[in-house]
């Protein structure tokens, strides 16, 4: 059974492989996405190690001079996606967007390095990539945490990777939508509109893009200028973990100065994460930096922070919180608490279960003495695949497939889980 699933997953990945990068899925997402690529590299690493490195190398080749690594790279023109390069206008040779995405590449590189048998080859490739990833992390703490709190903010919901999460509703209330150029969405022609963000949310997304474009995509200005400025525990958790992984890798490469810089960023970030602990909910929650308060939205962002090697008491509480969510749905981990009024089992990040987030939470919990819950999450992930194939995301009650089909990172996670985590299938 598991070999058949691995073969199918490999077929999905190969179908979306464009040679030096993969698209998340044909049609809906026809370019290279940042965190999709880094996580997809983990899938490749089980059957084509060279291709795994190439995926991350292509991504990092499009890093901006200031260190930012963009969220989409528009390698080939494609009218099937909105907003395309003519909306972003970032003036790059190969066009990119002007915002970023979760910094999962450092975490992925650590795994690629560990898995590459020929360490001389791995070191050579790493020596070129690691300074770039480290520069990206430094960019985060410089331009997205100008007051040096230890926590970075996102300035657009798309940066979080959890586009329409309930976490962003309050922040988006502060975004005006007047004056935006008329536009036609393309996502709803590829996927069921009931599974996608609302038109109102889309107007806010586009307003922010036009506003940042008007500021010349100058990252030294954008954080303070943005009406939307949110601190996401999951986003920070991923960055913290990647800083730790970069520190380890820098030690392997014999670069003590990079190692100590990266370790210091991780240590400071981990300490600051504590300020996002929400005792009422028993999980981390987002801090609205523009408004100046901790939110109460019970989303998966606060559970994803488990990736950051949080204190064991916190990991234990997160596992208990997830056990509670398991009583409220059929398939862990719902992206929003099913008993909250804003939960929507079909709509993207407002309820559905996503395999990549499951994998990252399980990875963190497994390292924090919560192996039983980690295994439970991975087992639910495989139940979803067996029931509904390699979808973009799933209804956490029925297990129904939602969004796009034949999804690269979902397939990559299946390979990763089956090959690596040794879950009985
Ligand atoms: C959606 C997801 C985002 C992902 C992208 C491509 O925008 O919210 O996390 O990177 O699709 O799969």
């Amino acid at each position: 059974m598991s070999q058949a699933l691995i073969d199918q997953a490999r077929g999905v990945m190969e179908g979306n492989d464009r040679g030096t990068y993969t698209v998340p899925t044909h049609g809906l997402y026809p370019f290279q996405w940042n965190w999709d690529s880094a996580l997809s590299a983990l899938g490749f690493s089980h059957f084509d190690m060279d291709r795994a490195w190439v995926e991350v190398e292509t991504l990092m080749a499009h890093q901006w001079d200031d260190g930012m690594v963009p969220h989409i790279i528009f390698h080939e023109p494609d009218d099937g996606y909105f907003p395309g390069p003519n909306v972003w206008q970032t003036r790059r040779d190969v066009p990119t967007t002007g915002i970023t995405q979760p910094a999962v590449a450092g975490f992925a590189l650590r795994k690629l390095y560990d898995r590459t048998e020929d360490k001389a080859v791995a070191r050579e490739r790493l020596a070129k990539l690691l300074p770039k990833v480290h520069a990206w992390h430094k960019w985060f703490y410089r331009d997205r945490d100008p007051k040096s709190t230890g926590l970075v903010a996102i300035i657009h919901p798309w940066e979080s990777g959890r586009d329409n999460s309930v976490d962003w509703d309050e922040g988006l209330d502060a975004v005006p939508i007047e004056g935006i150029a008329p536009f036609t969405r393309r996502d709803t022609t590829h996927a069921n509109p009931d599974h996608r963000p609302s038109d109102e949310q889309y107007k806010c997304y586009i307003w922010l893009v036009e506003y940042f474009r008007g500021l010349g995509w100058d990252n030294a200005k954008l954080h303070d200028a943005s009406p939307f400025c949110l601190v996401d525990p999951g986003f920070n958790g991923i960055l913290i973990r990647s800083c730790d992984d970069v520190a380890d890798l820098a030690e392997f490469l014999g670069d003590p100065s990079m190692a100590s810089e990266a370790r210091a960023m991780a240590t400071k970030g981990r300490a600051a994460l504590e300020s996002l602990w929400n005792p009422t909910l028993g999980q981390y929650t987002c801090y609205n930096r523009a408004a100046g308060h901790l939110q109460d939205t019970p989303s998966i962002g606060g559970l994803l922070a488990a990736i950051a090697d949080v204190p064991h008491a916190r990991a234990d509480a997160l596992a208990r919180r997830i056990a509670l969510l398991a009583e409220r749905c059929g398939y862990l981990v719902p992206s929003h608490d099913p008993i909250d009024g804003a939960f929507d089992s079909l709509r993207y990040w407002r309820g559905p279960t996503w395999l990549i987030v499951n994998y990252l939470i399980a990875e963190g919990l497994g390292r924090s003495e919560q192996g039983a819950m980690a295994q439970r999450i991975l087992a639910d992930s495989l139940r979803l695949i067996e029931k509904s194939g390699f979808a973009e995301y799933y209804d956490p009650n029925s297990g129904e497939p939602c969004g796009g089909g034949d999804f690269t990172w979902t397939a990559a996670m299946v390979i990763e889980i089956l090959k690596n985590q040794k879950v009985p299938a």
Side-chain angles (χ1 to χ4, degrees):
M1 185 59 199
S2 61
Q3 189 54 47
L5 271 185
I6 289 170
D7 292 345
Q8 280 175 38
R10 185 173 166 170
V12 168
M13 291 193 70
E14 287 172 346
N16 291 331
D17 186 354
R18 299 292 178 266
T20 54
Y21 67 96
T22 49
V23 297
T25 188
H26 174 73
L28 185 61
Y29 302 118
F31 314 108
Q32 183 178 23
W33 261 256
N34 185 325
W35 75 319
D36 295 61
S37 261
L39 290 167
S40 301
L42 298 180
F44 278 124
S45 76
H46 294 287
F47 62 91
D48 187 343
M49 189 55 85
D50 175 64
R51 184 63 188 78
W53 284 96
V54 167
E55 188 74 24
V56 184
E57 285 162 357
T58 306
L59 173 66
M60 297 311 295
H62 296 273
Q63 181 169 38
W64 285 20
D65 289 347
D66 64 3
M68 201 263 292
V69 182
H71 109 283
I72 303 176
I73 299 142
F74 299 105
H75 291 281
E76 302 281 342
D78 192 312
D79 287 341
Y81 180 83
F82 177 86
N86 58 336
V87 178
W88 293 90
Q89 294 175 18
T90 54
R91 297 187 298 273
R92 306 267 316 164
D93 292 344
V94 175
T96 72
T97 61
I99 56 173
T100 192
Q101 257 196 332
V104 83
F107 162 81
L109 275 189
R110 171 73 205 266
K111 296 219 181 277
L112 297 196
Y113 179 83
D114 288 348
R115 290 172 192 174
T116 303
E117 272 173 31
D118 187 338
K119 287 291 183 251
V121 169
R123 290 168 69 86
E124 205 177 302
R125 299 186 97 142
L126 194 60
K128 294 194 187 114
L129 282 172
L130 205 60
K132 295 183 178 201
V133 175
H134 185 52
W136 185 22
H137 296 171
K138 287 205 287 188
W139 168 80
F140 267 119
Y141 287 111
R142 188 182 65 238
D143 282 356
R144 294 309 182 77
D145 182 22
K147 293 217 169 94
S148 200
T149 65
L151 295 171
V152 303
I154 55 161
I155 58 170
H156 193 296
W158 289 343
E159 293 199 307
S160 70
R162 301 186 293 112
D163 303 13
N164 71 334
S165 168
V166 179
D167 285 339
W168 321 134
D169 289 1
E170 183 190 285
L172 289 178
D173 282 345
V175 175
I177 51 174
E178 294 87 46
I180 46 169
F183 63 86
T184 309
R185 290 176 63 172
R186 299 279 155 64
D187 57 316
T188 40
T189 62
H190 300 288
N192 183 341
D194 290 342
H195 299 184
R196 301 284 309 171
S198 69
D199 281 344
E200 283 307 297
Q201 283 160 348
Y202 242 80
K203 286 180 191 156
C204 295
Y205 302 154
I206 300 307
W207 188 91
L208 286 168
V209 171
E210 292 186 359
Y211 177 63
F212 299 146
R213 184 181 72 198
L215 293 170
W217 295 112
D218 178 355
N219 274 308
K221 295 186 188 147
L222 300 189
H223 175 281
D224 289 354
S226 179
F228 180 93
C229 194
L230 263 290
V231 177
D232 173 3
F235 191 94
N236 277 275
I238 288 172
L239 178 59
I240 291 163
R241 173 66 185 274
S242 281
C243 284
D244 264 333
D245 284 334
V246 166
D248 291 347
L249 291 169
E251 277 163 21
F252 301 157
L253 286 185
D255 187 337
S257 108
M258 189 196 294
S260 70
E261 270 183 3
R263 194 73 71 198
M265 293 192 291
T267 305
K268 184 169 173 182
R270 190 174 292 105
L273 200 56
E274 192 57 20
S275 67
L276 303 181
W277 185 256
N278 188 318
T280 317
L281 286 169
Q283 65 163 85
Y284 300 93
T285 50
C286 284
Y287 176 76
N288 184 338
R289 190 174 272 173
H293 62 82
L294 194 66
Q295 294 187 170
D296 268 329
T297 41
S299 85
I300 203 167
L303 310 175
L304 183 50
I307 187 72
D309 295 331
V310 293
H312 282 180
R314 295 298 185 223
D316 179 61
L318 291 177
R320 278 186 278 123
R321 172 91 181 121
I322 296 170
L324 206 61
L325 295 175
E327 292 168 17
R328 300 173 183 165
C329 71
Y331 298 87
L332 287 173
V333 180
S335 48
H336 199 76
D337 186 339
I339 65 161
D340 188 67
F343 172 82
D344 182 336
S345 70
L346 297 177
R347 210 177 276 278
Y348 217 26
W349 291 98
R350 301 175 80 86
T353 295
W354 293 69
L355 247 68
I356 32 117
V357 184
N358 277 7
Y359 166 77
L360 292 169
I361 294 174
E363 157 80 24
L365 290 179
R367 282 162 57 112
S368 306
E369 296 185 355
Q370 297 300 330
M373 181 51 83
Q375 290 304 309
R376 192 169 163 189
I377 293 170
L378 296 178
D380 272 16
S381 305
L382 293 179
R383 282 203 299 131
L384 281 171
I385 299 299
E386 279 162 16
K387 182 178 165 67
S388 298
F390 302 92
E392 187 176 7
Y393 43 95
Y394 305 85
D395 181 323
N397 294 325
S398 67
E400 173 193 336
C402 300
D406 289 338
F407 229 81
T408 303
W409 66 3
T410 306
M413 291 302 98
V414 172
I415 301 175
E416 176 76 3
I417 293 168
L418 287 172
K419 286 268 194 186
N420 229 28
Q421 312 279 335
K422 314 244 181 310
V423 169

